[in-house]
Amino acid sequence: MISWTKLLFEQAGFGDELRYPLIHDFTRPIIVWNITSTCNLNCCHCYFDARQSKRETTFSLKEAADFILGLSKMSVPVIIFSGGEPLMSADIFWLGQFSKGMGIRTVLSTNGTLINQAMARKIKTAGFDYVGISIDGAPKTHDRIRGQRGAFKFALQGIRNCRKEGIKTGLRFTLMKQNYKDLRFIFDLVEKEEINRLCIYHLVYTGRARGAQDDISSTERREVLEFIWDKVNDFHRSGRKTEILTVNNHADGVWLYLRLKKEQPDLARKIFKLLSRNRGNGAGSALVAVDHLGNVFADQFLRSRVLGNIFKQPFSEIWQDESNLFLSDLRNRKAFIKGRCQTCRFFSLCNANSRQRALAVFGDLRAEDPGCYLTDSEIYGENPAYSSVSSIGINP
């Protein structure tokens, strides 16, 4: 996640202590737990390929409790409960409350359509720290992407119901060919509804997101970034404290740094330092995903390799298995990455970005990220022989 409001204006945000740690400790990853594969919608970009047909979770509450207890002993900071649609699981409130009782921050990732006022009260009672609700454009656009008429209406009401209960709630928007022109509508909605957090996601090619044909071009992406730049600055000038982040493409941080380097060098240096602490894509080190069957993955998108199963082996053993070469490679990517990512002078800031996009387009986990929109001159600087910021001693 790249917090534009933090980088540009030092505005404190939810999760900053995890986003910019002084010391990185891969033994304490953020957990994305897809507790069910069932969903009431049929979204065209669903990374989990969730279905409307009822498919129950396969774990017992005892198994879930053992897993959560193990995470607590590891001092895992956050569990993001996702799906499918997590609110279709009968156990979601017990899971949230139990995790909270174990000292773990709890986040609910939902399409929002099931959150009437009674459901919002249950979410609050369970103690969820944050609820992220997806809206992917204006009403017609959102309903088309989500595969159900009225999805926008119910999602927006879900946001309103959560906020009425005093629950910290944010809006999530995924950039695609089908909806990137709706981003202006999204910012207007955030302003009108006084929503305090907006996360704009770059598309990752997995599940029902078919690939680059669903994604925007590099030119379109840069136009989007310029628009976000303008809106972030407009919000700041007007005194609006909405936290604005982009997700799943750490090139955004480099883009911000380069945009400010000449005009505001002092601010650019501060941004560089924060990005260095973030260290880019955290799949396999700062982030991990577990599905409803107990299978463990490097993150919620990289599902081609199962690392283990929490119902057959303690999660701590799976995550700290030094013999797992796949995990070792993800944690030491510089040694095997190919293409532009390998020679990029900003490798330390993005960590070669999305390995799933590389796998989807090139069939190679080690290939460059096709979602990187930076130009060769931005990547290589004046001398393409340079391979990294650290090796050439760049003074940010």
Side-chain angles (χ1 to χ4, degrees):
M1 285 186 165
I2 303 296
S3 174
W4 291 50
T5 40
K6 171 69 173 180
L7 295 177
L8 293 177
F9 308 116
E10 298 185 354
Q11 179 180 317
F14 182 76
D16 278 350
E17 75 281 6
L18 300 176
R19 204 168 295 120
Y20 311 107
L22 293 173
I23 299 174
H24 281 261
D25 182 1
F26 79 87
T27 64
R28 301 177 61 244
I30 293 171
I31 310 291
V32 178
W33 192 359
N34 300 102
I35 62 171
T36 179
S37 60
T38 305
C39 187
N40 59 321
L41 301 183
N42 188 29
C43 308
C44 67
H45 59 307
C46 178
Y47 70 81
F48 199 52
D49 196 17
R51 302 291 178 177
Q52 294 186 30
S53 56
K54 188 69 175 175
R55 290 185 288 173
E56 295 289 351
T57 53
T58 59
F59 55 84
S60 67
L61 290 183
K62 183 183 182 307
E63 289 173 320
D66 289 343
F67 174 47
I68 294 167
L69 284 168
L71 298 181
S72 178
K73 290 178 181 178
M74 292 173 64
S75 298
V76 161
V78 180
I79 300 177
I80 301 172
F81 291 94
S82 188
E85 172 48 55
L87 291 174
M88 295 190 76
S89 168
D91 300 325
I92 180 60
F93 300 114
W94 185 93
L95 293 169
Q97 199 162 24
F98 187 79
S99 301
K100 185 73 173 177
M102 291 294 103
I104 302 173
R105 185 184 302 171
T106 54
V107 172
L108 188 63
S109 178
T110 171
N111 63 46
T113 60
L114 302 178
I115 306 179
N116 55 27
Q117 204 59 56
M119 184 72 80
R121 283 192 289 271
K122 289 182 179 180
I123 293 171
K124 182 176 183 179
T125 299
F128 282 96
D129 294 283
Y130 176 76
V131 176
I133 296 179
S134 298
I135 292 185
D136 286 319
K140 288 184 179 179
T141 305
H142 179 82
D143 289 0
R144 182 171 61 251
I145 288 173
R146 296 280 158 175
Q148 182 174 302
R149 185 176 298 177
F152 175 90
K153 171 186 171 183
F154 290 114
L156 180 56
Q157 191 58 52
I159 291 176
R160 291 170 175 169
N161 290 336
C162 284
R163 297 189 70 239
K164 193 178 296 183
E165 291 295 327
I167 303 166
K168 184 174 179 61
T169 308
L171 188 155
R172 302 174 311 181
F173 173 88
T174 300
L175 285 165
M176 295 177 284
K177 277 284 187 187
Q178 301 96 311
N179 71 348
Y180 78 97
K181 292 182 180 180
D182 284 22
L183 190 55
R184 183 180 299 276
F185 171 88
I186 292 296
F187 271 95
D188 289 345
L189 182 68
V190 165
E191 187 170 7
K192 178 183 176 182
E193 296 288 331
E194 298 183 340
I195 296 169
N196 294 323
R197 195 172 200 246
L198 170 61
C199 294
I200 302 166
Y201 287 74
H202 294 269
L203 189 66
V204 178
Y205 317 148
T206 189
R208 290 201 290 270
R210 296 170 300 166
Q213 65 266 41
D214 291 330
D215 205 357
I216 59 178
S217 68
S218 292
T219 299
E220 291 164 339
R221 199 176 308 279
R222 295 180 84 101
E223 291 173 357
V224 165
L225 295 177
E226 289 289 349
F227 176 74
I228 296 172
W229 168 274
D230 289 340
K231 295 304 294 184
V232 170
N233 281 281
D234 286 348
F235 275 25
H236 179 70
R237 281 191 293 267
S238 67
R240 187 171 298 280
K241 294 299 184 181
T242 301
E243 184 184 7
I244 300 173
L245 309 95
T246 54
V247 189
N248 294 334
N249 200 326
H250 288 270
D252 294 352
V254 178
W255 184 89
L256 278 173
Y257 164 71
L258 292 172
R259 196 161 187 320
L260 290 163
K261 188 177 179 184
K262 289 185 179 179
E263 296 180 4
Q264 300 183 59
D266 290 341
L267 177 57
R269 278 191 286 271
K270 291 179 181 178
I271 288 175
F272 189 93
K273 289 177 181 178
L274 283 173
L275 294 174
S276 298
R277 284 165 56 182
N278 179 272
R279 295 179 63 183
N281 183 277
S285 55
L287 188 67
V288 61
V290 179
D291 72 9
H292 62 300
L293 303 174
N295 296 314
V296 179
F297 305 92
D299 73 1
Q300 66 268 45
F301 306 112
L302 270 173
R303 297 187 172 271
S304 60
R305 185 74 63 90
V306 177
L307 305 178
N309 189 286
I310 62 170
F311 304 133
K312 298 177 181 178
Q313 184 182 8
F315 172 76
S316 59
E317 293 183 7
I318 297 170
W319 194 242
Q320 298 174 35
D321 182 2
E322 295 182 358
S323 67
N324 190 313
L325 297 181
F326 182 74
L327 271 180
S328 177
D329 280 351
L330 286 176
R331 292 168 183 169
N332 302 279
R333 299 183 195 187
K334 187 64 177 177
F336 73 81
I337 290 295
K338 304 175 183 176
R340 296 201 320 157
C341 285
Q342 199 280 328
T343 53
C344 178
R345 59 184 176 143
F346 296 109
F347 183 94
S348 63
L349 304 189
C350 77
N351 200 25
N353 244 331
S354 171
R355 296 300 81 220
Q356 176 55 38
R357 280 195 293 258
L359 187 63
V361 172
F362 300 114
D364 186 355
L365 191 77
R366 303 181 177 195
E368 64 191 46
D369 180 6
C372 179
Y373 51 85
L374 298 175
T375 65
D376 284 352
S377 62
E378 288 170 330
I379 283 177
Y380 301 127
E382 296 179 359
N383 190 338
Y386 293 147
S387 62
S388 72
V389 170
S390 58
S391 67
I392 63 177
I394 275 186
N395 180 5

